[in-house]
Amino acid sequence: MKFLGAAGYRDLQLDIVGFLAILGESSVLVQSQVAALSYFFLLPRLVPAPQALIRTSRPERLDSSTGVVVGAYSGGIRHHVNHLAHLLHEGNTLRAYSVRCEKVTYTTSTSSDVKARLFGPITWLSILGFFMSIALFGLAIRLNDGFALVAILALSFLSTLVGIGNRWSLNLRKRTADRAVPPSDVVLIYPNGSFLIIKCDEYTARQLYWHPEECDYMVGSTAYRVISLCGTLILMFGVICLGNATLDLQIGFAASYIILNAAYWVVAALPPKWNWDLSYYHVERIKYEESEQADSFTEALWKAIAITQTAHWVHVGRIAPVSKGWDNWIKEAEQVAKSGPGAWDESANVVRGLPEWDYNAALTEHLDDASATNKVEVALTALL
């Protein structure tokens, strides 16, 4: 079985090598937003699927995660979890029906700016693409391949052009007023029934949980549309030139895009937190004397109420089913939680044992009482 003829590798047909330059859109797009925070994003370099960065409009804020944020005492509510808060607390690692407690403070020894990590994985992708451009540029000059030279210049400087259009900084609003406010602790509730109780001050709470994470772009919308148009034309021109390059250079381009696509897929599979510099915030995970894991949603909810010593946030966020039986159970849970010294010992930074209370039996009793009351009310209504 033969694959190559007498001419060797020159028998290969690589007329569609230009398609390799536009493959891998999803892996590029998934990390494009944080990548645009880095100055390395402006390097002239090869990028797989550069059309992923040429969009008709840009996102106005960071992507949020599914969940509910409720002020434990303030009554505030958001029906999503901000992107940075989700990354900072690693919300994707919360097991179902777990109740985690953390304390968040900010450090004064580092910059208050949240930015891309200087030498994170996405930085090395930019450096890899840059050196591949340099290598192909030198090879095109050595082999006197004009079309390949134009292709590498067009496709490399295209990344710089779209980098300018997508370059942005994170605008985290800061609290300006100094009036008295309720305690700023928040509770994050995820769809898998897990709870994350966070103790923080008002300054941190507003930045991470309440205010939208807005993108402040370097160029305006009109300039961006012009850049997108120019970028689209440059991309088409570069792909045409690539298709007319000599076989040697086409093999070089093919190898480069295959390596880059593999690298981008690997980085896309890494934890997103690795690409961010969140050193301004310090997260301290509070230890349990027992376990933060619960066996059911009811137990997890009781733990969260006992730790916060209030059920106000349960009503505000509509966390539990809305019925008379559940309402009575929540009231009793709050009373039991307030009867003791509190499960969260702030002086020792530990969650101690919960108050003695049979939450399951209490819930059964309240639901049975509510059911019996409903039956009586239905019977009376029928008689009338």
Side-chain angles (χ1 to χ4, degrees):
M1 182 180 294
K2 296 180 64 177
F3 291 96
L4 299 176
Y9 75 91
R10 294 188 179 279
D11 284 336
L12 291 173
Q13 300 296 319
L14 294 178
D15 295 335
I16 61 170
V17 71
F19 284 105
L20 292 176
I22 59 174
L23 294 179
E25 185 170 340
S26 59
S27 60
V28 172
L29 196 58
V30 74
Q31 53 207 344
S32 61
Q33 211 166 9
V34 60
L37 277 173
S38 171
Y39 284 107
F40 286 96
F41 193 65
L42 302 177
L43 274 178
R45 67 199 188 281
L46 287 184
V47 178
Q51 75 278 3
L53 305 175
I54 306 173
R55 293 170 285 188
T56 56
S57 61
R58 300 168 293 185
E60 296 181 358
R61 56 179 58 90
L62 293 175
D63 294 332
S64 57
S65 299
T66 304
V68 179
V69 180
V70 188
Y73 311 100
S74 66
I77 183 172
R78 291 288 183 274
H79 293 284
H80 62 267
V81 181
N82 280 351
H83 186 76
L84 294 182
H86 183 70
L87 291 181
L88 189 67
H89 298 292
E90 299 180 345
N92 57 315
T93 65
L94 284 168
R95 297 175 60 189
Y97 309 134
S98 61
V99 184
R100 183 184 297 176
C101 300
E102 293 182 346
K103 186 176 182 180
V104 181
T105 55
Y106 56 90
T107 58
T108 57
S109 58
T110 61
S111 170
S112 61
D113 294 331
V114 174
K115 51 189 178 294
R117 185 167 291 178
L118 181 59
F119 289 107
I122 55 172
T123 299
W124 294 110
L125 288 179
S126 298
I127 294 174
L128 176 63
F130 173 73
F131 280 109
M132 283 189 170
S133 293
I134 295 296
L136 290 173
F137 181 79
L139 185 61
I141 292 177
R142 182 175 180 179
L143 297 181
N144 198 29
D145 190 335
F147 275 114
L149 184 63
V150 174
I152 190 63
L153 289 174
L155 295 175
S156 296
F157 284 100
L158 170 64
S159 63
T160 300
L161 182 64
V162 298
I164 294 173
N166 288 280
R167 173 74 180 164
W168 64 286
S169 58
L170 185 60
N171 182 16
L172 290 177
R173 299 180 185 177
K174 299 180 180 180
R175 186 189 181 206
T176 55
D178 196 25
R179 63 179 66 92
V181 294
S184 305
D185 302 357
V186 297
V187 182
L188 274 60
I189 304 97
Y190 282 95
N192 64 350
S194 59
F195 295 81
L196 182 57
I197 302 170
I198 300 158
K199 189 170 289 293
C200 59
D201 62 14
E202 183 68 14
Y203 177 89
T204 305
R206 293 201 182 192
Q207 279 197 332
L208 286 176
Y209 313 109
W210 300 125
H211 284 162
E213 299 161 324
E214 297 175 340
C215 301
D216 187 10
Y217 287 100
M218 185 171 70
V219 299
S221 298
T222 303
Y224 173 73
R225 292 188 182 95
V226 174
I227 288 174
S228 295
L229 173 61
C230 294
T232 302
L233 297 176
I234 292 173
L235 175 59
M236 292 188 292
F237 183 69
V239 171
I240 291 172
C241 290
L242 177 56
N244 287 276
T246 61
L247 182 61
D248 294 325
L249 266 300
Q250 286 197 8
I251 291 175
F253 273 104
S256 298
Y257 279 115
I258 289 172
I259 293 172
L260 282 172
N261 265 292
Y264 272 81
W265 273 107
V266 169
V267 171
L270 296 176
K273 189 177 180 180
W274 290 11
N275 292 315
W276 289 87
D277 182 1
L278 301 174
S279 57
Y280 179 62
Y281 300 103
H282 174 68
V283 179
E284 181 181 3
R285 187 167 175 176
I286 308 303
K287 296 180 180 179
Y288 271 74
E289 283 189 344
E290 298 174 351
S291 172
E292 67 179 27
Q293 187 62 44
D295 296 326
S296 64
F297 176 77
T298 306
E299 182 183 357
L301 181 59
W302 157 235
K303 275 191 173 187
I305 293 174
I307 292 171
T308 57
Q309 288 195 299
T310 178
H312 176 63
W313 57 271
V314 180
H315 295 292
V316 172
R318 302 179 74 88
I319 308 304
V322 180
S323 69
K324 187 175 181 180
W326 271 98
D327 287 345
N328 292 335
W329 180 86
I330 292 171
K331 289 178 184 178
E332 184 177 351
E334 184 175 29
Q335 292 172 357
V336 174
K338 290 181 176 180
S339 64
W344 188 331
D345 186 346
E346 292 190 46
S347 60
N349 266 345
V350 64
V351 176
R352 304 197 182 279
L354 305 182
E356 292 293 334
W357 184 51
D358 192 340
Y359 59 89
N360 264 326
L363 179 59
T364 302
E365 180 183 350
H366 286 300
L367 291 178
D368 288 344
D369 290 345
S371 178
T373 302
N374 288 338
K375 289 180 180 178
V376 171
E377 291 175 354
V378 170
L380 291 174
T381 303
L383 289 174
L384 295 175

